[in-house]
Amino acid sequence: MKVLLLDEIEEYFKKAERKLKSSKLLYNAGDYSNSLTLSYYAMLLVSKALLIKIGITTNKHHGIIKEFGRNYVKTGKFDDEIYKYFIKTQSLRNQCDYEAIDEITDKIANKKIKEAQEYINETKKLL
């Protein structure tokens, strides 16, 4: 069972890296909204992986955000400022995915790519 769990965690991290790579490709193609969405998903997936590591499973975005905050940020295991990248990107991602018009510029999308990379790097320290 532990081997399967470690494989699942590793696969979520690999998937997050692929999302971030695709985010960069979309950014370079000028598709800033979808780039931001994939940066968000990269952060979501590594957060989910770390929750699985401690026995928490949820597929709801809100649940992942809440449980990650409770189990990693409030306990001091994960930097609060870096966690805020995830929260703020989620709000922008909702705008991208659910509004007819969004305000995602190249600067915003580029910033979110950098934040997602930093977020992933920080989560890797907790593996």
Side-chain angles (χ1 to χ4, degrees):
M1 179 69 172
K2 273 221 188 262
V3 172
L4 292 176
L5 206 70
L6 291 174
D7 287 345
E8 184 177 12
I9 292 166
E10 184 180 322
E11 289 303 317
Y12 275 115
F13 270 85
K14 287 179 183 176
K15 192 173 192 175
E17 292 286 356
R18 289 192 307 271
K19 295 279 186 195
L20 188 57
K21 183 178 180 181
S22 294
S23 174
K24 292 173 184 176
L25 292 171
L26 288 168
Y27 174 84
N28 289 332
D31 190 351
Y32 306 127
S33 295
N34 284 317
S35 170
L36 183 136
T37 295
L38 290 183
S39 293
Y40 164 74
Y41 275 103
M43 291 186 269
L44 181 80
L45 291 169
V46 294
S47 299
K48 181 175 181 166
L50 288 180
L51 289 173
I52 291 168
K53 181 182 177 208
I54 59 172
I56 297 171
T57 56
T58 180
N59 290 320
K60 304 274 185 193
H61 293 228
H62 177 74
I64 293 168
I65 292 167
K66 181 179 170 185
E67 290 299 329
F68 191 86
R70 178 183 297 149
N71 290 280
Y72 285 98
V73 180
K74 289 188 179 175
T75 59
K77 295 175 186 171
F78 194 84
D79 185 274
D80 182 54
E81 291 304 311
I82 295 174
Y83 175 66
K84 287 178 185 173
Y85 297 167
F86 185 28
I87 303 300
K88 291 176 182 176
T89 305
Q90 194 254 356
S91 177
L92 289 171
R93 174 256 172 189
N94 285 341
Q95 182 188 115
C96 292
D97 288 354
Y98 302 114
E99 301 294 328
I101 299 171
D102 63 61
E103 300 171 1
I104 307 306
T105 63
D106 62 329
K107 287 182 182 180
I108 293 169
N110 189 44
K111 179 180 179 186
K112 294 306 171 182
I113 288 169
K114 291 175 182 173
E115 289 177 355
Q117 185 64 67
E118 186 176 355
Y119 194 92
I120 291 169
N121 291 343
E122 286 298 308
T123 58
K124 285 179 179 178
K125 294 176 183 177
L126 298 171
L127 286 176

